Coordinates of all heavy atoms in Angstrom, one line a residue:
M1 N 5.5 -56.5 -20.0 CA 4.5 -55.7 -19.4 C 4.3 -54.4 -20.2 O 3.1 -54.0 -20.4 CB 4.9 -55.3 -18.0 CG 3.8 -54.6 -17.2 SD 4.3 -54.5 -15.5 CE 3.5 -53.0 -15.0
I2 N 5.4 -53.8 -20.7 CA 5.3 -52.6 -21.4 C 4.6 -52.8 -22.8 O 3.7 -52.1 -23.2 CB 6.7 -51.9 -21.6 CG1 7.3 -51.5 -20.3 CG2 6.7 -50.8 -22.7 CD1 8.7 -51.0 -20.3
K3 N 5.0 -53.9 -23.5 CA 4.4 -54.2 -24.7 C 2.9 -54.5 -24.5 O 2.1 -54.1 -25.4 CB 5.0 -55.5 -25.4 CG 6.4 -55.2 -26.0 CD 6.9 -56.4 -26.6 CE 8.3 -56.1 -27.3 NZ 8.8 -57.3 -27.9
K4 N 2.5 -55.2 -23.5 CA 1.1 -55.5 -23.2 C 0.3 -54.2 -23.0 O -0.8 -54.0 -23.5 CB 1.0 -56.4 -22.0 CG -0.4 -56.8 -21.6 CD -0.5 -57.6 -20.4 CE -2.0 -57.8 -20.0 NZ -2.2 -58.3 -18.7
T5 N 0.9 -53.3 -22.2 CA 0.2 -52.0 -21.9 C 0.1 -51.2 -23.2 O -1.0 -50.6 -23.5 CB 1.0 -51.2 -20.9 OG1 1.1 -52.0 -19.7 CG2 0.4 -49.9 -20.6
L6 N 1.1 -51.1 -24.0 CA 1.1 -50.3 -25.3 C 0.0 -51.0 -26.2 O -0.7 -50.2 -26.9 CB 2.4 -50.3 -25.9 CG 3.5 -49.4 -25.2 CD1 4.8 -49.5 -25.8 CD2 3.0 -47.9 -25.1
K7 N 0.0 -52.3 -26.3 CA -1.0 -52.9 -27.1 C -2.4 -52.6 -26.6 O -3.3 -52.4 -27.4 CB -0.8 -54.5 -27.1 CG -1.7 -55.2 -28.1 CD -1.3 -56.7 -28.2 CE -2.2 -57.3 -29.3 NZ -1.8 -58.7 -29.5
E8 N -2.6 -52.6 -25.3 CA -3.9 -52.3 -24.7 C -4.3 -50.9 -25.0 O -5.5 -50.6 -25.4 CB -3.9 -52.6 -23.2 CG -5.2 -52.5 -22.5 CD -5.1 -52.8 -21.0 OE1 -4.5 -53.9 -20.7 OE2 -5.5 -52.0 -20.2
I9 N -3.4 -50.0 -24.9 CA -3.7 -48.6 -25.2 C -4.0 -48.4 -26.7 O -5.0 -47.7 -27.1 CB -2.5 -47.7 -24.8 CG1 -2.3 -47.6 -23.3 CG2 -2.6 -46.3 -25.4 CD1 -1.0 -47.0 -22.9
S10 N -3.3 -49.1 -27.6 CA -3.5 -49.0 -29.0 C -4.9 -49.6 -29.3 O -5.7 -49.0 -30.1 CB -2.5 -49.8 -29.7 OG -2.7 -49.8 -31.1
N11 N -5.3 -50.7 -28.7 CA -6.6 -51.2 -28.9 C -7.7 -50.3 -28.4 O -8.8 -50.2 -29.1 CB -6.7 -52.6 -28.2 CG -6.0 -53.7 -29.0 OD1 -5.7 -53.6 -30.2 ND2 -5.6 -54.7 -28.2
N12 N -7.5 -49.6 -27.3 CA -8.4 -48.7 -26.8 C -8.7 -47.5 -27.8 O -9.8 -47.1 -28.0 CB -8.0 -48.1 -25.4 CG -8.2 -49.1 -24.3 OD1 -8.9 -50.1 -24.5 ND2 -7.5 -48.9 -23.2
F13 N -7.6 -47.0 -28.4 CA -7.7 -46.0 -29.4 C -8.5 -46.5 -30.6 O -9.3 -45.8 -31.2 CB -6.4 -45.4 -29.8 CG -5.9 -44.3 -28.9 CD1 -4.8 -44.6 -28.1 CD2 -6.5 -43.1 -28.8 CE1 -4.3 -43.6 -27.2 CE2 -6.0 -42.1 -28.0 CZ -5.0 -42.3 -27.2
L14 N -8.3 -47.7 -31.0 CA -9.0 -48.3 -32.1 C -10.5 -48.4 -31.8 O -11.3 -48.0 -32.6 CB -8.4 -49.7 -32.5 CG -8.8 -50.3 -33.8 CD1 -8.3 -49.4 -34.9 CD2 -8.1 -51.6 -33.9
L15 N -10.8 -48.9 -30.6 CA -12.2 -49.0 -30.2 C -12.8 -47.6 -30.1 O -14.0 -47.5 -30.5 CB -12.3 -49.7 -28.9 CG -12.0 -51.2 -28.9 CD1 -11.9 -51.8 -27.4 CD2 -13.0 -52.0 -29.7
L16 N -12.1 -46.7 -29.6 CA -12.6 -45.3 -29.5 C -12.9 -44.7 -30.9 O -14.0 -44.2 -31.1 CB -11.6 -44.4 -28.8 CG -12.0 -42.9 -28.6 CD1 -13.2 -42.8 -27.7 CD2 -10.8 -42.2 -28.1
S17 N -12.0 -44.9 -31.8 CA -12.3 -44.4 -33.2 C -13.4 -45.1 -33.8 O -14.2 -44.4 -34.6 CB -11.0 -44.5 -34.0 OG -10.7 -45.9 -34.3
E18 N -13.7 -46.3 -33.5 CA -14.8 -47.0 -34.1 C -16.1 -46.6 -33.5 O -17.1 -46.4 -34.2 CB -14.6 -48.6 -34.0 CG -13.5 -49.1 -34.9 CD -13.1 -50.5 -34.5 OE1 -13.7 -51.1 -33.6 OE2 -12.2 -51.1 -35.2
S19 N -16.1 -46.5 -32.2 CA -17.4 -46.2 -31.5 C -17.8 -44.8 -31.4 O -18.9 -44.4 -31.2 CB -17.4 -46.8 -30.1 OG -16.4 -46.2 -29.3
C20 N -16.8 -43.9 -31.5 CA -17.0 -42.5 -31.4 C -16.6 -41.6 -32.6 O -16.5 -40.4 -32.5 CB -16.2 -42.0 -30.1 SG -16.7 -42.7 -28.6
E21 N -16.5 -42.3 -33.7 CA -16.0 -41.5 -34.9 C -16.8 -40.3 -35.2 O -16.3 -39.2 -35.4 CB -15.9 -42.5 -36.1 CG -15.4 -41.8 -37.4 CD -15.3 -42.8 -38.5 OE1 -15.7 -43.9 -38.4 OE2 -14.8 -42.3 -39.6
N22 N -18.2 -40.5 -35.2 CA -19.0 -39.4 -35.6 C -18.9 -38.2 -34.5 O -18.9 -37.1 -34.9 CB -20.5 -39.8 -35.7 CG -20.7 -40.7 -36.9 OD1 -20.0 -40.5 -37.9 ND2 -21.7 -41.5 -36.9
D23 N -18.8 -38.6 -33.3 CA -18.7 -37.6 -32.2 C -17.4 -36.8 -32.3 O -17.3 -35.6 -32.1 CB -18.8 -38.2 -30.8 CG -20.2 -38.7 -30.5 OD1 -21.2 -38.1 -31.1 OD2 -20.3 -39.6 -29.7
I24 N -16.3 -37.6 -32.7 CA -15.0 -36.9 -32.8 C -15.0 -36.0 -34.0 O -14.5 -34.9 -34.0 CB -13.9 -38.0 -33.0 CG1 -13.7 -38.8 -31.7 CG2 -12.6 -37.4 -33.4 CD1 -12.9 -40.1 -31.8
I25 N -15.6 -36.4 -35.1 CA -15.8 -35.5 -36.3 C -16.6 -34.3 -36.0 O -16.2 -33.2 -36.3 CB -16.4 -36.3 -37.5 CG1 -15.4 -37.3 -38.0 CG2 -16.8 -35.4 -38.6 CD1 -15.9 -38.3 -39.0
K26 N -17.7 -34.4 -35.3 CA -18.5 -33.3 -34.9 C -17.7 -32.3 -34.0 O -17.8 -31.1 -34.2 CB -19.8 -33.7 -34.2 CG -20.8 -34.3 -35.0 CD -22.0 -34.8 -34.2 CE -23.0 -35.5 -35.0 NZ -24.2 -36.0 -34.2
A27 N -17.0 -32.9 -33.0 CA -16.2 -32.0 -32.1 C -15.1 -31.3 -32.9 O -14.9 -30.1 -32.7 CB -15.7 -32.8 -31.0
S28 N -14.5 -32.0 -33.8 CA -13.4 -31.4 -34.6 C -13.9 -30.3 -35.4 O -13.3 -29.2 -35.5 CB -12.7 -32.4 -35.5 OG -12.2 -33.5 -34.7
N29 N -15.1 -30.5 -36.0 CA -15.7 -29.5 -36.9 C -16.1 -28.3 -36.1 O -16.0 -27.1 -36.5 CB -16.9 -30.0 -37.7 CG -16.4 -30.9 -38.8 OD1 -15.3 -30.8 -39.3 ND2 -17.2 -31.9 -39.2
A30 N -16.6 -28.5 -34.9 CA -17.0 -27.4 -34.0 C -15.8 -26.6 -33.6 O -15.9 -25.3 -33.5 CB -17.8 -27.9 -32.8
I31 N -14.7 -27.2 -33.3 CA -13.5 -26.5 -32.9 C -13.0 -25.7 -34.1 O -12.6 -24.5 -33.9 CB -12.4 -27.5 -32.4 CG1 -12.9 -28.1 -31.0 CG2 -11.1 -26.9 -32.3 CD1 -12.1 -29.3 -30.6
I32 N -12.9 -26.3 -35.2 CA -12.4 -25.6 -36.4 C -13.3 -24.4 -36.7 O -12.8 -23.3 -37.0 CB -12.4 -26.6 -37.6 CG1 -11.3 -27.6 -37.4 CG2 -12.2 -25.8 -38.9 CD1 -11.4 -28.8 -38.4
K33 N -14.6 -24.6 -36.7 CA -15.5 -23.5 -36.9 C -15.4 -22.3 -35.9 O -15.4 -21.2 -36.3 CB -17.0 -24.0 -36.9 CG -18.0 -22.9 -37.3 CD -19.4 -23.5 -37.3 CE -20.4 -22.4 -37.6 NZ -21.8 -23.0 -37.6
A34 N -15.2 -22.7 -34.6 CA -15.0 -21.7 -33.6 C -13.7 -20.9 -33.9 O -13.8 -19.6 -33.8 CB -14.9 -22.4 -32.2
L35 N -12.7 -21.6 -34.2 CA -11.4 -20.8 -34.5 C -11.5 -20.0 -35.7 O -11.0 -18.9 -35.8 CB -10.2 -21.8 -34.6 CG -9.9 -22.6 -33.3 CD1 -8.9 -23.7 -33.5 CD2 -9.4 -21.6 -32.2
E36 N -12.2 -20.5 -36.7 CA -12.4 -19.7 -38.0 C -13.2 -18.4 -37.7 O -13.0 -17.4 -38.4 CB -13.1 -20.5 -39.0 CG -12.2 -21.6 -39.6 CD -12.9 -22.5 -40.6 OE1 -14.1 -22.6 -40.6 OE2 -12.2 -23.2 -41.4
N37 N -14.1 -18.5 -36.7 CA -14.9 -17.3 -36.3 C -14.2 -16.5 -35.2 O -14.9 -15.7 -34.6 CB -16.3 -17.8 -35.9 CG -17.1 -18.3 -37.1 OD1 -17.0 -17.8 -38.2 ND2 -17.9 -19.4 -36.8
N38 N -12.9 -16.7 -35.0 CA -12.2 -15.9 -34.0 C -12.7 -16.1 -32.6 O -12.6 -15.2 -31.8 CB -12.1 -14.4 -34.4 CG -11.3 -14.2 -35.6 OD1 -10.3 -14.8 -35.8 ND2 -11.9 -13.4 -36.5
N39 N -13.2 -17.3 -32.3 CA -13.6 -17.7 -31.0 C -12.5 -18.4 -30.3 O -11.5 -18.7 -30.9 CB -14.9 -18.5 -31.0 CG -16.1 -17.7 -31.5 OD1 -16.3 -16.6 -31.1 ND2 -16.9 -18.3 -32.4
K40 N -12.7 -18.7 -29.0 CA -11.7 -19.3 -28.2 C -12.1 -20.7 -27.8 O -13.3 -20.9 -27.5 CB -11.5 -18.5 -27.0 CG -10.3 -18.9 -26.1 CD -10.2 -17.9 -25.0 CE -9.7 -16.6 -25.6 NZ -9.3 -15.6 -24.7
I41 N -11.2 -21.7 -27.8 CA -11.4 -23.0 -27.3 C -11.2 -23.0 -25.8 O -10.2 -22.6 -25.3 CB -10.5 -24.1 -27.9 CG1 -10.6 -24.0 -29.5 CG2 -10.8 -25.5 -27.4 CD1 -12.0 -24.1 -30.0
M42 N -12.2 -23.4 -25.0 CA -12.1 -23.4 -23.5 C -12.0 -24.9 -23.0 O -12.8 -25.7 -23.4 CB -13.3 -22.7 -22.9 CG -13.3 -21.2 -23.3 SD -14.5 -20.2 -22.4 CE -16.0 -21.0 -22.9
F43 N -11.1 -25.1 -22.2 CA -10.9 -26.5 -21.6 C -11.1 -26.4 -20.1 O -10.9 -25.4 -19.5 CB -9.4 -26.9 -21.8 CG -9.0 -27.1 -23.2 CD1 -8.4 -26.1 -23.9 CD2 -9.3 -28.3 -23.9 CE1 -8.0 -26.3 -25.3 CE2 -8.9 -28.5 -25.2 CZ -8.3 -27.5 -25.9
C44 N -11.6 -27.5 -19.5 CA -11.8 -27.6 -18.1 C -11.6 -29.0 -17.7 O -11.7 -29.9 -18.5 CB -13.1 -27.0 -17.6 SG -14.5 -27.8 -18.2
G45 N -11.5 -29.3 -16.4 CA -11.4 -30.6 -15.9 C -11.2 -30.6 -14.4 O -11.0 -29.6 -13.8
N46 N -11.2 -31.8 -13.8 CA -11.1 -31.9 -12.4 C -9.9 -32.9 -12.1 O -9.8 -33.9 -12.8 CB -12.4 -32.5 -11.8 CG -12.4 -32.5 -10.3 OD1 -11.7 -31.7 -9.6 ND2 -13.0 -33.5 -9.7
G47 N -9.1 -32.5 -11.1 CA -8.0 -33.4 -10.8 C -7.0 -33.5 -11.9 O -6.5 -32.4 -12.4
G48 N -6.6 -34.7 -12.3 CA -5.6 -34.9 -13.4 C -6.1 -34.3 -14.7 O -5.4 -33.8 -15.5
S49 N -7.5 -34.3 -14.9 CA -8.0 -33.7 -16.1 C -7.9 -32.2 -16.1 O -7.8 -31.6 -17.2 CB -9.5 -34.1 -16.2 OG -9.6 -35.5 -16.3
A50 N -7.8 -31.5 -14.9 CA -7.5 -30.1 -14.9 C -6.1 -29.8 -15.4 O -5.9 -28.9 -16.2 CB -7.6 -29.6 -13.5
A51 N -5.2 -30.7 -15.1 CA -3.8 -30.6 -15.6 C -3.8 -30.8 -17.1 O -3.1 -30.1 -17.9 CB -2.9 -31.6 -14.9
D52 N -4.6 -31.8 -17.6 CA -4.7 -32.1 -19.0 C -5.3 -30.9 -19.7 O -4.8 -30.6 -20.8 CB -5.6 -33.3 -19.2 CG -4.9 -34.6 -18.8 OD1 -3.7 -34.7 -18.7 OD2 -5.7 -35.6 -18.6
S53 N -6.3 -30.2 -19.1 CA -6.9 -29.1 -19.8 C -5.8 -27.9 -20.0 O -5.8 -27.3 -21.0 CB -8.1 -28.6 -19.1 OG -7.8 -27.8 -17.9
Q54 N -5.0 -27.8 -19.0 CA -4.0 -26.7 -19.1 C -2.9 -27.1 -20.1 O -2.5 -26.3 -20.9 CB -3.3 -26.6 -17.7 CG -4.2 -26.0 -16.7 CD -3.6 -26.0 -15.3 OE1 -2.4 -25.7 -15.1 NE2 -4.4 -26.3 -14.3
H55 N -2.6 -28.4 -20.2 CA -1.6 -28.9 -21.2 C -2.2 -28.7 -22.6 O -1.5 -28.2 -23.5 CB -1.3 -30.3 -20.9 CG -0.3 -30.9 -21.8 ND1 0.1 -32.2 -21.8 CD2 0.5 -30.3 -22.8 CE1 1.0 -32.4 -22.7 NE2 1.3 -31.3 -23.3
L56 N -3.4 -29.1 -22.8 CA -4.1 -28.9 -24.2 C -4.1 -27.5 -24.6 O -3.7 -27.2 -25.8 CB -5.5 -29.5 -24.2 CG -5.5 -31.1 -24.1 CD1 -7.0 -31.5 -23.8 CD2 -5.0 -31.7 -25.4
S57 N -4.5 -26.6 -23.7 CA -4.5 -25.2 -24.1 C -3.1 -24.7 -24.4 O -2.9 -23.9 -25.3 CB -5.1 -24.4 -22.9 OG -5.2 -23.0 -23.2
A58 N -2.2 -25.1 -23.6 CA -0.8 -24.6 -23.8 C -0.3 -25.1 -25.2 O 0.4 -24.4 -25.9 CB 0.1 -25.2 -22.7
E59 N -0.7 -26.3 -25.6 CA -0.2 -26.8 -26.9 C -0.8 -26.0 -28.0 O -0.2 -25.7 -29.1 CB -0.6 -28.3 -27.1 CG 0.1 -29.2 -26.1 CD 1.7 -29.3 -26.3 OE1 2.2 -28.5 -27.1 OE2 2.3 -30.1 -25.6
L60 N -2.1 -25.6 -27.9 CA -2.7 -24.7 -28.9 C -2.1 -23.4 -29.0 O -1.8 -22.8 -30.1 CB -4.2 -24.6 -28.7 CG -5.0 -25.9 -28.9 CD1 -6.5 -25.6 -28.7 CD2 -4.8 -26.6 -30.2
I61 N -1.8 -22.8 -27.8 CA -1.3 -21.4 -27.8 C 0.2 -21.5 -28.2 O 0.7 -20.6 -28.9 CB -1.4 -20.8 -26.4 CG1 -2.9 -20.6 -26.1 CG2 -0.6 -19.5 -26.3 CD1 -3.2 -20.3 -24.6
G62 N 0.9 -22.5 -27.7 CA 2.4 -22.6 -27.9 C 2.8 -23.2 -29.3 O 3.9 -23.4 -29.5
R63 N 1.8 -23.5 -30.1 CA 2.1 -23.9 -31.5 C 2.5 -25.4 -31.7 O 2.6 -25.8 -32.8 CB 3.0 -23.0 -32.2 CG 2.5 -21.6 -32.2 CD 3.5 -20.7 -33.0 NE 4.8 -20.6 -32.5 CZ 5.3 -19.7 -31.7 NH1 4.5 -18.8 -31.2 NH2 6.5 -19.7 -31.3
Y64 N 2.7 -26.2 -30.7 CA 3.0 -27.6 -30.7 C 3.8 -28.1 -31.9 O 3.2 -28.4 -33.0 CB 1.7 -28.4 -30.6 CG 2.0 -29.9 -30.5 CD1 2.6 -30.4 -29.4 CD2 1.6 -30.8 -31.5 CE1 2.9 -31.8 -29.3 CE2 1.8 -32.1 -31.4 CZ 2.5 -32.6 -30.3 OH 2.7 -34.0 -30.2
K65 N 5.1 -28.1 -31.8 CA 6.0 -28.7 -32.8 C 6.0 -28.0 -34.2 O 6.6 -28.5 -35.1 CB 5.8 -30.2 -33.0 CG 6.1 -31.0 -31.8 CD 5.9 -32.5 -32.2 CE 6.3 -33.4 -31.0 NZ 6.2 -34.8 -31.3
K66 N 5.3 -26.9 -34.4 CA 5.2 -26.3 -35.7 C 5.1 -24.8 -35.5 O 4.4 -24.3 -34.7 CB 3.9 -26.8 -36.4 CG 3.7 -26.4 -37.8 CD 2.5 -27.0 -38.4 CE 2.3 -26.6 -39.8 NZ 1.1 -27.1 -40.4
N67 N 5.9 -24.1 -36.3 CA 5.9 -22.7 -36.3 C 4.7 -22.2 -37.0 O 4.7 -22.0 -38.2 CB 7.2 -22.1 -36.9 CG 7.3 -20.6 -36.5 OD1 6.6 -20.1 -35.7 ND2 8.3 -20.0 -37.2
R68 N 3.6 -21.9 -36.3 CA 2.3 -21.5 -36.9 C 1.7 -20.4 -35.9 O 2.2 -20.2 -34.8 CB 1.4 -22.6 -37.0 CG 1.1 -23.3 -35.7 CD -0.2 -24.1 -35.7 NE -0.4 -24.9 -34.5 CZ -0.8 -24.4 -33.3 NH1 -1.1 -23.2 -33.2 NH2 -0.9 -25.2 -32.3
K69 N 0.7 -19.8 -36.4 CA 0.0 -18.8 -35.6 C -0.7 -19.6 -34.4 O -1.2 -20.6 -34.5 CB -1.1 -18.2 -36.4 CG -2.0 -17.2 -35.7 CD -3.0 -16.6 -36.6 CE -4.0 -15.7 -35.8 NZ -5.1 -15.3 -36.6
P70 N -0.5 -19.0 -33.2 CA -1.2 -19.6 -32.0 C -2.7 -19.7 -32.2 O -3.3 -18.9 -32.8 CB -0.8 -18.7 -30.9 CG 0.3 -17.9 -31.3 CD 0.2 -17.8 -32.8
L71 N -3.3 -20.8 -31.7 CA -4.7 -21.0 -31.7 C -5.3 -20.5 -30.4 O -4.7 -20.9 -29.3 CB -5.1 -22.4 -32.0 CG -4.5 -23.0 -33.3 CD1 -4.8 -24.5 -33.4 CD2 -5.0 -22.2 -34.5
S72 N -6.3 -19.7 -30.4 CA -6.9 -19.1 -29.2 C -7.5 -20.1 -28.3 O -8.5 -20.8 -28.7 CB -7.9 -18.0 -29.6 OG -8.3 -17.3 -28.5
S73 N -7.0 -20.3 -27.1 CA -7.6 -21.2 -26.1 C -7.3 -20.7 -24.7 O -6.4 -19.9 -24.5 CB -7.1 -22.6 -26.4 OG -5.8 -22.7 -26.0
I74 N -8.0 -21.3 -23.8 CA -7.8 -21.0 -22.3 C -8.2 -22.2 -21.5 O -9.2 -22.9 -21.9 CB -8.5 -19.7 -21.9 CG1 -8.1 -19.4 -20.5 CG2 -10.0 -19.9 -22.0 CD1 -8.6 -18.0 -20.1
S75 N -7.5 -22.5 -20.5 CA -7.9 -23.5 -19.5 C -8.6 -22.8 -18.4 O -8.1 -21.9 -17.7 CB -6.7 -24.3 -19.0 OG -7.2 -25.2 -18.0
L76 N -9.9 -23.2 -18.1 CA -10.6 -22.6 -17.0 C -10.2 -23.0 -15.7 O -10.7 -22.5 -14.7 CB -12.1 -22.9 -17.2 CG -12.7 -22.4 -18.6 CD1 -14.2 -22.9 -18.7 CD2 -12.6 -20.9 -18.7
T77 N -9.3 -23.9 -15.6 CA -8.8 -24.5 -14.3 C -7.6 -23.7 -13.7 O -7.1 -24.1 -12.7 CB -8.5 -26.0 -14.4 OG1 -7.4 -26.1 -15.3 CG2 -9.6 -26.8 -14.9
T78 N -7.1 -22.7 -14.4 CA -5.9 -22.0 -14.0 C -6.1 -21.0 -12.9 O -5.1 -20.6 -12.3 CB -5.1 -21.4 -15.2 OG1 -6.0 -20.5 -15.8 CG2 -4.7 -22.5 -16.2
D79 N -7.3 -20.5 -12.7 CA -7.5 -19.5 -11.7 C -8.0 -20.1 -10.4 O -9.2 -20.2 -10.1 CB -8.6 -18.5 -12.2 CG -8.7 -17.2 -11.4 OD1 -8.2 -17.3 -10.2 OD2 -9.3 -16.2 -11.8
T80 N -7.1 -20.6 -9.6 CA -7.4 -21.3 -8.4 C -8.2 -20.4 -7.4 O -9.0 -21.0 -6.7 CB -6.2 -21.9 -7.7 OG1 -5.2 -20.8 -7.5 CG2 -5.5 -22.9 -8.6
S81 N -7.9 -19.1 -7.4 CA -8.7 -18.3 -6.5 C -10.2 -18.3 -6.8 O -11.0 -18.4 -5.9 CB -8.1 -16.9 -6.5 OG -6.8 -16.8 -6.1
A82 N -10.5 -18.1 -8.1 CA -11.9 -18.1 -8.5 C -12.5 -19.5 -8.3 O -13.6 -19.6 -7.8 CB -12.0 -17.8 -10.0
L83 N -11.8 -20.6 -8.6 CA -12.3 -21.9 -8.5 C -12.7 -22.2 -7.0 O -13.8 -22.7 -6.7 CB -11.3 -23.0 -9.0 CG -11.0 -23.0 -10.4 CD1 -9.9 -24.0 -10.7 CD2 -12.2 -23.4 -11.2
T84 N -11.8 -21.9 -6.1 CA -12.1 -22.2 -4.7 C -13.1 -21.3 -4.1 O -13.9 -21.7 -3.3 CB -10.8 -22.2 -3.9 OG1 -10.1 -20.9 -4.0 CG2 -9.8 -23.3 -4.3
A85 N -13.1 -20.0 -4.5 CA -14.1 -19.0 -4.0 C -15.5 -19.4 -4.4 O -16.5 -19.4 -3.6 CB -13.8 -17.6 -4.4
I86 N -15.7 -19.7 -5.7 CA -17.0 -20.1 -6.3 C -17.5 -21.4 -5.6 O -18.6 -21.5 -5.2 CB -16.9 -20.2 -7.8 CG1 -16.7 -18.8 -8.4 CG2 -18.2 -20.8 -8.3 CD1 -16.3 -18.9 -9.9
S87 N -16.6 -22.4 -5.5 CA -17.0 -23.6 -4.9 C -17.4 -23.5 -3.5 O -18.3 -24.1 -2.9 CB -16.0 -24.7 -5.1 OG -14.8 -24.4 -4.5
N88 N -16.6 -22.6 -2.8 CA -16.9 -22.4 -1.3 C -18.2 -21.6 -1.1 O -19.0 -21.9 -0.2 CB -15.7 -21.6 -0.7 CG -15.8 -21.4 0.8 OD1 -16.0 -22.4 1.5 ND2 -15.7 -20.2 1.2
D89 N -18.4 -20.5 -1.9 CA -19.5 -19.7 -1.7 C -20.8 -20.3 -2.3 O -21.9 -20.0 -1.8 CB -19.3 -18.3 -2.4 CG -18.2 -17.5 -1.7 OD1 -17.8 -17.9 -0.6 OD2 -17.7 -16.5 -2.3
F90 N -20.7 -21.1 -3.4 CA -21.9 -21.6 -4.0 C -21.8 -23.2 -4.0 O -22.3 -23.8 -3.1 CB -22.0 -21.1 -5.4 CG -22.2 -19.6 -5.5 CD1 -21.1 -18.8 -5.7 CD2 -23.4 -19.0 -5.2 CE1 -21.3 -17.4 -5.7 CE2 -23.6 -17.7 -5.2 CZ -22.5 -16.8 -5.5
S91 N -21.2 -23.7 -5.0 CA -20.9 -25.2 -5.0 C -20.0 -25.5 -6.2 O -19.8 -24.7 -7.1 CB -22.2 -26.0 -5.2 OG -22.7 -26.0 -6.5
F92 N -19.4 -26.7 -6.1 CA -18.6 -27.1 -7.2 C -19.4 -27.2 -8.6 O -18.8 -27.1 -9.6 CB -17.9 -28.5 -6.9 CG -16.7 -28.3 -6.0 CD1 -16.8 -28.7 -4.7 CD2 -15.5 -27.9 -6.5 CE1 -15.8 -28.5 -3.8 CE2 -14.4 -27.8 -5.7 CZ -14.5 -28.1 -4.3
N93 N -20.7 -27.4 -8.5 CA -21.5 -27.5 -9.7 C -21.5 -26.2 -10.4 O -21.8 -26.1 -11.6 CB -22.9 -27.8 -9.3 CG -23.1 -29.2 -8.7 OD1 -22.2 -30.1 -9.0 ND2 -24.1 -29.4 -7.9
D94 N -21.2 -25.0 -9.8 CA -21.3 -23.7 -10.4 C -19.9 -23.2 -10.9 O -19.9 -22.1 -11.5 CB -21.9 -22.7 -9.4 CG -23.3 -23.1 -9.0 OD1 -24.1 -23.5 -9.9 OD2 -23.6 -22.9 -7.9
I95 N -18.9 -23.9 -10.7 CA -17.5 -23.4 -11.0 C -17.4 -23.0 -12.5 O -16.9 -21.9 -12.8 CB -16.5 -24.4 -10.7 CG1 -16.3 -24.5 -9.2 CG2 -15.1 -24.0 -11.3 CD1 -15.4 -25.6 -8.7
F96 N -17.8 -23.8 -13.4 CA -17.6 -23.5 -14.8 C -18.8 -22.9 -15.5 O -18.9 -22.8 -16.7 CB -17.1 -24.7 -15.6 CG -15.8 -25.2 -15.0 CD1 -15.7 -26.5 -14.5 CD2 -14.7 -24.4 -15.0 CE1 -14.5 -27.0 -14.0 CE2 -13.5 -24.9 -14.5 CZ -13.4 -26.2 -14.0
S97 N -19.9 -22.6 -14.7 CA -21.1 -22.1 -15.4 C -21.0 -20.6 -15.7 O -20.1 -19.9 -15.2 CB -22.3 -22.3 -14.4 OG -22.1 -21.6 -13.2

């Protein structure tokens, strides 16, 4: 079961790289350009993706396995007071606007 799952995940990454290669390159270039211009990478998500956004930001700030200068980023899902107040007063559609 584990081998089957790992093979399936591996195949999914292969398909992703084939079908989204240009989009991945564009996104990577946009991130690199933003950081070179002293801008910040902003992450957001809902549910499990909110946790992923916090993890991704932490890896950029925390240097991830390499002693390097931290990369400027923030997860927009970490301020639960703002998230719940905005969604309550306006709507969930306005949280990250």
Side-chain angles (χ1 to χ4, degrees):
M1 184 171 151
I2 292 171
K3 284 183 180 181
K4 180 183 176 194
T5 301
L6 291 174
K7 186 174 183 175
E8 188 176 307
I9 291 168
S10 178
N11 287 336
N12 286 341
F13 275 110
L14 194 59
L15 290 172
L16 179 66
S17 69
E18 291 171 357
S19 64
C20 299
E21 181 177 5
N22 289 334
D23 291 333
I24 293 169
I25 290 169
K26 284 180 188 177
S28 299
N29 288 333
I31 290 168
I32 291 166
K33 184 177 178 180
L35 292 170
E36 288 175 344
N37 290 322
N38 294 316
N39 292 315
K40 186 176 293 191
I41 306 304
M42 297 189 297
F43 295 95
C44 64
N46 186 32
S49 296
D52 290 340
S53 78
Q54 292 171 39
H55 184 186
L56 289 167
S57 180
E59 296 294 7
L60 293 183
I61 295 168
R63 301 184 302 264
Y64 185 68
K65 294 186 178 183
K66 187 176 179 184
N67 193 11
R68 59 160 171 78
K69 181 181 172 188
L71 302 175
S72 185
S73 72
I74 188 169
S75 172
L76 301 177
T77 62
T78 58
D79 190 345
T80 55
S81 297
L83 292 174
T84 56
I86 293 167
S87 64
N88 185 52
D89 294 346
F90 299 98
S91 78
F92 281 102
N93 294 335
D94 297 320
I95 288 176
F96 300 119
S97 62

